[in-house]
Structures are given as structure tokens and as C-alpha cells.
């Protein structure tokens, strides 16, 4: 649970009404969605497939307790377009597999060289470096297989499947997530300017959030202005999420965040906290949440969960 003492500050705008963020209700809704995604992920990653080691490692990389925010966003994208979340579940699971692949590779000795992820030994610690590289590759391949399989879901127009795949592929490629990772490696140990920090995170973290939400909406037939509004939402969401990541790295609880506190400072990374200090970083994140809510002003109650998710980006403890 987040810190309830700050709750009053986190209000969400809905039309001209100001609603208080009901944290208890939100956490219940989040848990229901997370459980559903995890059940589907199990179904799409059969641990007993051959050869055993790679399937066990894929399962390990995916089943170790993430928040599942990206696949939840994909499902919400369908709901915003007036369609059932069920319709986009293969793509939602694909997005989580892509996220998990990026974490497995990010933890490798050649990248961030981390021993702990989500509070447990990283994939390469358990399965060895070569298997961890292959695990990431296999998760990425399975993700594209699942996105293609989404065409078989009732009510799906196959042309929208192609559009969604294009959106995701672009977001995670060299001008998206991979590009962000390259900048991160390139600027390691250097103090960088705010514009560079923003660019890095927009690519490394923001692009996948953006594709996650938009892929669900595109599959469910959304286009035009509403889709642009989702672009805006995810851009600000990614920023709020990243700033809170930086804040957690300074003031989080190691047991809850599942990795050592202070790693950004140890790795001499420029963060929103190192540039602005803790309080100003919090204020920046709060402004981003407001921008998330502004982006959703054209939607009604169907966007309430996403409004609350933006508040959660700020209140989260892990
Ligand atoms: C190596 C291909 C490749 C890409 C790496 C996304 C990425 C690029 C690396 C992930 C490492 C990282 C610390 C990214 C910044 C913030 C972030 C995306 C944190 C993890 O996301 P959460 O909090 O994770 O949603 P859970 O564990 O809840 O799924």
C-alpha cells in the first residue's frame, strides 16, 4: 500500500468534478487484473515444453512477481475503445513477455550486472549467462507469435493486428526501447542534461508503456484523436513512473522494491532526484499525473482505472 498520509494531495479530475483517489478500491481492482493476466501468462508459457531448461527459464523470468502494469494497460486500451479486455489478452501477455525479456537482458553482466530482480536472483544467476540471453530472445519471439495469434480472437479485424504489431515493434526497436538502453549505456557515469534524461526515459521506459496501451486500443478499433490522447497519457505516465522510480531508489524500502536502494548513485546515474532534489522531483511527478488526467478528459468513466493508475505511478512503493 502507498502512503495514506499523502492521499489528500492525489485528486483526479473527471470532467469538472474533482474525485479523490480511492486507494483501497484501486488496489483491489489492480489485484483482480493482475491475477487474470498471470493466469493467462501461465497458459501461454508451458513449463513442460521441450527442451526443459529454456522453458523453465522463461517461466522463471516471467513468474517472479511483477506488477503487470503494461499488460493491464493493453486490456484497458480495449475497454477504452468499448470492447472487452478478453479480446486483447494474447497481445497483453506478449507485452509482458517483452518487458520481462528487457529485464533479463538489462540484468546481464554486460549491461547493468544485477544479481537481484523483483527480490529474487536474476535469470543469469540461476540459469547462467548464455541461457539468460536465449531466454530473453525466446520471450521476444514468443511475444510476436502471440500477437499474431491475437487475430484468431472473436471480433478482431486482422488489419488491426498488423497495425498493433507495427506499433509494438517500433516501440521496442532501435528508435524505441533499445535506443533508450543504448543511450543509457553510452551516458553511464556522466552527468547529463534534463533534455537528454527525458529523451532516454521516453525511449527506454515510455515507449513500451505507450505501445502497451495503444496496442489494446488499436486492436479494439480505436483511431484518430482518441488514440492521440492515449499517446499523451502514456508520455506523462512514463515520466511520472520514472520519477517515482528515481525517488524509490533513494527513499524506498529494499525489501519491497526487490533490489538494493541507492544503486543509481552507486552507478553515477543522472536521475530526476540528482538533478532537482527529492521534493522538486515529487512535484514534477505530481504535475505529470495531472497531465495524465488532462489527456483523458475526452473519456468518461471507462477511463477511471487509468486515472487511478496515474496516481498509483506516484504512490507506488515498488
Ligand atoms: C536490454 C533490450 C534491453 C532493454 C532494456 C526497459 C529496459 C531497457 C530495462 C529495464 C530496466 C529498468 C530499471 C528500467 C527503468 C524502469 C523500469 C522499466 C522498471 C521496471 O518496471 P516495473 O516497475 O517492473 O513495471 P515490474 O517488476 O513490476 O514488472
Amino acid at each position: 500500500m502507498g502512503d495514506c498520509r499523502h492521499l489528500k494531495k492525489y485528486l483526479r479530475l473527471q470532467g469538472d468534478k474533482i474525485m479523490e483517489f480511492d486507494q483501497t478500491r484501486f488496489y483491489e481492482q489492480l489485484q483482480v487484473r493482475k491475477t487474470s493476466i498471470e493466469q493467462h501468462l501461465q497458459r501461454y508459457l508451458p513449463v513442460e515444453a521441450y527442451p526443459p531448461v529454456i522453458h523453465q527459464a522463461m517461466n522463471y523470468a516471467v513468474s517472479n512477481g511483477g506488477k503487470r502494469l503494461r499488460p493491464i494497460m493493453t486490456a484497458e486500451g480495449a475497454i477504452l475503445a468499448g470492447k472487452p479486455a478478453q479480446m486483447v489478452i494474447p497481445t497483453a501477455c506478449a507485452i509482458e513477455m517483452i518487458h520481462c525479456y528487457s529485464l533479463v537482458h538489462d540484468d546481464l553482466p554486460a549491461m547493468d550486472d544485477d544479481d537481484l530482480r523483483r527480490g529474487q536472483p536474476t535469470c543469469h544467476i540461476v540459469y547462467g549467462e548464455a541461457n539468460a540471453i536465449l531466454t530473453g530472445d525466446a520471450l521476444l519471439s514468443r511475444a510476436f507469435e502471440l500477437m499474431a495469434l491475437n487475430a484468431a480472437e472473436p471480433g478482431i479485424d486482422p488489419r488491426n493486428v498488423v497495425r498493433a504489431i507495427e506499433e509494438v515493434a517500433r516501440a521496442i526497436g532501435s528508435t524505441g526501447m533499445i535506443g533508450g538502453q543504448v543511450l543509457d549505456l553510452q551516458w553511464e557515469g556522466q552527468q547529463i542534461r534534463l533534455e537528454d534524461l527525458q529523451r532516454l526515459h521516453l525511449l527506454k521506459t515510455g515507449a513500451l508503456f505507450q505501445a502497451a496501451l495503444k496496442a489494446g486500443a488499436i486492436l479494439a478499433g480505436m483511431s484518430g484523436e482518441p488514440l492521440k490522447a492515449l499517446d499523451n497519457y502514456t508520455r506523462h505516465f512514463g515520466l511520472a513512473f520514472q520519477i517515482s522510480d528515481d525517488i524509490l531508489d533513494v527513499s524506498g524500502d529494499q525489501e519491497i522494491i526487490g533490489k538494493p536502494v541507492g544503486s543509481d548513485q552507486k552507478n553515477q546515474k543522472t536521475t530526476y532526484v540528482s538533478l532537482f532534489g527529492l521534493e522538486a522531483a515529487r512535484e514534477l511527478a505530481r504535475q505529470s499525473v495531472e497531465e495524465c488526467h488532462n489527456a483523458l478528459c475526452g473519456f468518461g468513466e471507462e477511463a477511471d482505472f487509468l486515472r487511478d493508475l496515474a496516481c498509483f505511478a506516484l504512490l507506488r512503493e515498488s
Side-chain angles (χ1 to χ4, degrees), residues 66-67 70 99 101-103 105-106 111 118 177-178 181 204-205 241-242 245 316:
K67 294 182 287 299
R70 295 156 190 82
H99 169 57
Y101 126 72
S102 82
L103 299 181
H105 280 194
D106 188 63
M111 303 243 184
R118 296 165 170 169
M177 183 176 77
I178 298 272
Q181 180 75 353
K204 182 175 160 175
T205 314
F241 186 88
Q242 186 57 51
D245 219 60
R316 71 196 179 98

Side-chain angles (χ1 to χ4, degrees), residues 151-162:
E153 292 297 313
I156 289 278
D157 179 341
R159 286 170 302 181
N160 290 335
V161 173
V162 176

Side-chain angles (χ1 to χ4, degrees), residues 2-42:
D3 185 346
C4 295
R5 284 171 304 164
H6 298 302
L7 196 58
K8 287 270 184 283
K9 279 201 244 162
Y10 301 109
L11 304 167
R12 61 179 167 75
L13 303 169
Q14 188 177 317
D16 38 4
K17 275 191 294 177
I18 296 180
M19 315 278 288
E20 210 166 291
F21 171 47
D22 182 342
Q23 192 166 226
T24 308
R25 198 192 58 165
F26 172 74
Y27 274 82
E28 282 165 11
Q29 292 173 339
L30 188 65
Q31 191 54 44
V32 170
R33 286 161 169 79
K34 181 170 165 347
T35 305
S36 163
I37 292 292
E38 288 182 341
Q39 283 165 354
H40 291 293
L41 279 169
Q42 291 297 319

